[in-house]
Amino acid sequence: MMSSGAIALPSVFPTGTTLYDPKRAYNSYVLFSAPDGNTHLVDMNGNEVHSWNKFGFPAEMIDPAQNGGAKGHILLQLKNGSSPFGNIFANQEVGELDWKGAVVWRYGNQALGKNLRQNHDINRLPNGNTLLVTTVDRVVAGVSNRPIADQQIVEVSRDGQVVWSWTVGDHIDEFGITDQGRKLLRQLYQEGDQGFGFLTINNMQPIGPNRWFDAGDRRFAPDNIVIDSREASFIAIIDKQTGKIVWRLGPDYGSGADNKEKSVASASALTKFSLAIPRPVDQTSGQHDAHIIPQGLPGAGNLLVFDNEGPSGFPPNPLSLEVGSRILEIDPQQKTIVWQYSGIDSDQPPWGFYSSFISSARRLPNGNTLIDEGMNGRLFQVTPSGEIVWEYINPYNGRQNIGFDREVSTNWVYRAQPIPYDWVPDGTPHQEDAIAPPKKYPNHPI
């Protein structure tokens, strides 16, 4: 059953930090880009402590430990393209800005045909190179006889040389898409280009050091790359050396249909999601920000993903009638859910937490999780038990073309990154004063 739920926002709502418990929150800065065209760094009290006059989709602050000790440098798009959806697609130039906004590295004109078409993600590697998701026009065998907007991940050196690349369409047989799904893809792309990015690879992050590789599982080599497909609803690991997919979750999730098509039985079972854990992964749909939790953080080695539960899949995934998103922490060896968050965990209905697209989730050193409910511009921290101990509503609205015939006002946030205090120049201020929620929540602990 496809979801028929609708999300409606009030026309007037509070912005900035709405509640904050300094004793139970992980206290840091938070970096995000907003539709006002700027990238913002805020503290826990919602004060903007710094900004850059560029719109990153997303922006990412570079860990000083892998940037020669330089603090407060960010990666983002320097020159956007003319695509809809807030210029997610077809960006013409990316770069690194220092704390003062000066460009210290850029890449764009060096791309093939001087047309970069970067989209969705950007990541600085420990070796100083940069990973980018880009778009290339090409025929994908078995999908279309005409060029389509295929997606390509490239690794670019500091001097602008492409030293590694991987293209989605070359691996169509490795994604577990069923015969029925392949037929639907051919129907969609038979006339050529349909959109801006084949299967929409919205995320790519190196795995990094991890316990699975240390125990001998080479699928989890630190330089291998986690990706996810928003349109085809799978998460996968690319072997950096061979280019092969060596681990995958989805697009089928144990339906018992022998990888041919989703069964009626599985659709019925997925109209309601179980709250019991651990349990096998039941589904992800339109997911974002899949990554391996880094060493040193609670849950290290597990996979964390924002399961949007937005319409997705070939064929379309069955979705719950009570529409709502989930954060899933997954043991990648057993492919079981070991922790989860939904609106229910904060004493709300499932639809109290929902973003059908964009969004992110990051584990914090104290065990909390920073969540970006992207389409609503809501950033918040939850404890392992689901209690909200910090909440911030993006106040930086802007007008965006989201694919209709006019622009609309929105405060959406593609991704939010927690920033430790020592990642920025010394002396940068921050405030940590408790903010109590409205009195309609008399039992809230702050």
Side-chain angles (χ1 to χ4, degrees):
M1 179 186 297
M2 292 300 291
S3 169
S4 59
I7 299 297
L9 292 174
S11 59
V12 178
F13 52 92
T15 60
T17 299
T18 59
L19 69 87
Y20 172 42
D21 183 347
K23 294 181 179 179
R24 295 191 301 153
Y26 174 69
N27 301 306
S28 72
Y29 300 113
V30 177
L31 180 76
F32 64 94
S33 290
D36 67 346
N38 299 307
T39 296
H40 304 271
L41 187 70
V42 300
D43 67 13
M44 292 286 97
N45 280 96
N47 302 306
E48 182 184 77
V49 299
H50 200 71
S51 68
W52 295 260
N53 65 346
K54 294 292 183 182
F55 177 49
F57 219 107
E60 177 183 297
M61 186 167 285
I62 306 170
D63 183 347
Q66 62 183 48
N67 200 33
K71 294 185 175 185
H73 286 219
I74 62 171
L75 291 171
L76 44 54
Q77 293 75 25
L78 299 180
K79 187 177 181 181
N80 298 120
S82 57
S83 63
F85 304 105
N87 292 321
I88 291 178
F89 301 95
N91 294 295
Q92 298 173 21
E93 186 177 43
V94 299
E96 176 184 343
L97 301 182
D98 67 13
W99 184 250
K100 295 181 179 180
V103 178
V104 297
W105 177 80
R106 65 199 321 151
Y107 179 75
N109 288 337
Q110 308 98 313
L112 184 65
K114 295 186 177 182
N115 188 13
L116 178 59
R117 299 171 71 186
Q118 183 272 339
N119 62 89
H120 282 96
D121 212 355
I122 182 169
N123 194 284
R124 176 60 52 81
L125 300 176
N127 64 5
N129 293 346
T130 304
L131 273 183
L132 307 170
V133 181
T134 65
T135 300
V136 292
D137 291 327
R138 60 196 297 273
V139 172
V140 176
V143 175
S144 176
N145 295 323
R146 301 181 182 182
I148 65 174
D150 202 354
Q151 286 193 284
Q152 185 175 74
I153 300 174
V154 297
E155 179 180 345
V156 179
S157 65
R158 294 291 296 188
D159 61 357
Q161 301 300 309
V162 175
V163 297
W164 180 85
S165 65
W166 183 90
T167 307
V168 173
D170 291 340
H171 300 271
I172 189 68
D173 294 331
E174 301 174 49
F175 298 144
I177 299 174
T178 66
D179 292 343
Q180 180 188 6
R182 293 290 287 269
K183 181 179 179 180
L184 291 172
L185 277 174
R186 286 192 294 272
Q187 291 173 351
L188 178 63
Y189 287 99
Q190 63 183 345
E191 297 301 325
D193 188 18
Q194 293 287 329
F196 293 89
F198 180 53
L199 302 187
T200 311
I201 303 302
N202 60 47
N203 173 77
M204 48 92 218
Q205 296 192 35
I207 293 176
N210 65 90
R211 57 191 170 111
W212 312 118
F213 180 73
D214 293 343
D217 191 336
R218 297 199 60 80
R219 296 177 301 172
F220 294 85
D223 61 348
N224 286 355
I225 299 169
V226 180
I227 62 170
D228 59 54
S229 166
R230 190 256 175 267
E231 299 303 323
S233 285
F234 67 79
I235 304 168
I237 293 177
I238 303 168
D239 186 301
K240 188 78 177 299
Q241 300 301 314
T242 67
K244 299 293 185 182
I245 297 297
V246 292
W247 180 95
R248 194 186 76 242
L249 184 65
D252 293 299
Y253 294 84
S255 67
D258 294 326
N259 203 35
K260 292 181 180 179
E261 62 181 89
K262 293 181 177 68
S263 65
V264 173
S266 70
S268 175
L270 285 170
T271 58
K272 289 206 179 276
F273 290 111
S274 171
L275 298 180
I277 52 174
R279 70 177 188 277
V281 181
D282 42 22
Q283 180 182 292
T284 65
S285 188
Q287 71 290 321
H288 283 73
D289 200 32
H291 64 279
I292 298 296
I293 298 173
Q295 278 189 340
L297 297 179
N302 290 336
L303 184 139
L304 194 66
V305 60
F306 191 110
D307 177 21
N308 296 76
E309 288 302 307
S312 176
F314 300 97
N317 289 329
L319 301 177
S320 171
L321 180 64
E322 298 87 1
V323 63
S325 298
R326 309 182 296 173
I327 309 301
L328 301 179
E329 180 182 339
I330 298 165
D331 179 327
Q333 296 276 359
Q334 301 299 320
K335 296 186 177 180
T336 55
I337 298 170
V338 297
W339 180 82
Q340 64 191 355
Y341 173 80
S342 70
I344 294 173
D345 295 296
S346 293
D347 197 29
Q348 300 173 348
W351 58 87
F353 168 57
Y354 182 58
S355 180
S356 65
F357 60 100
I358 57 178
S359 310
S360 63
R362 298 297 170 94
R363 181 57 43 80
L364 300 169
N366 68 349
N368 291 352
T369 303
L370 174 66
I371 298 171
D372 164 30
E373 187 184 16
M375 74 179 191
N376 298 320
R378 177 181 175 232
L379 316 179
F380 62 105
Q381 269 191 47
V382 297
T383 66
S385 64
E387 238 181 307
I388 298 174
V389 293
W390 179 77
E391 182 181 63
Y392 173 89
I393 311 300
N394 173 27
Y396 303 106
N397 275 53
R399 303 198 65 81
Q400 295 285 314
N401 178 351
I402 58 173
F404 298 99
D405 60 355
R406 67 190 68 180
E407 291 184 339
V408 299
S409 178
T410 178
N411 71 334
W412 68 1
V413 174
Y414 179 68
R415 186 180 294 172
Q417 181 188 11
I419 305 297
Y421 290 142
D422 60 0
W423 278 27
V424 303
D426 297 343
T428 302
H430 61 265
Q431 188 176 351
E432 295 181 357
D433 295 333
I435 297 176
K439 291 182 179 180
K440 65 180 288 187
Y441 301 109
N443 296 322
H444 199 280
I446 61 172

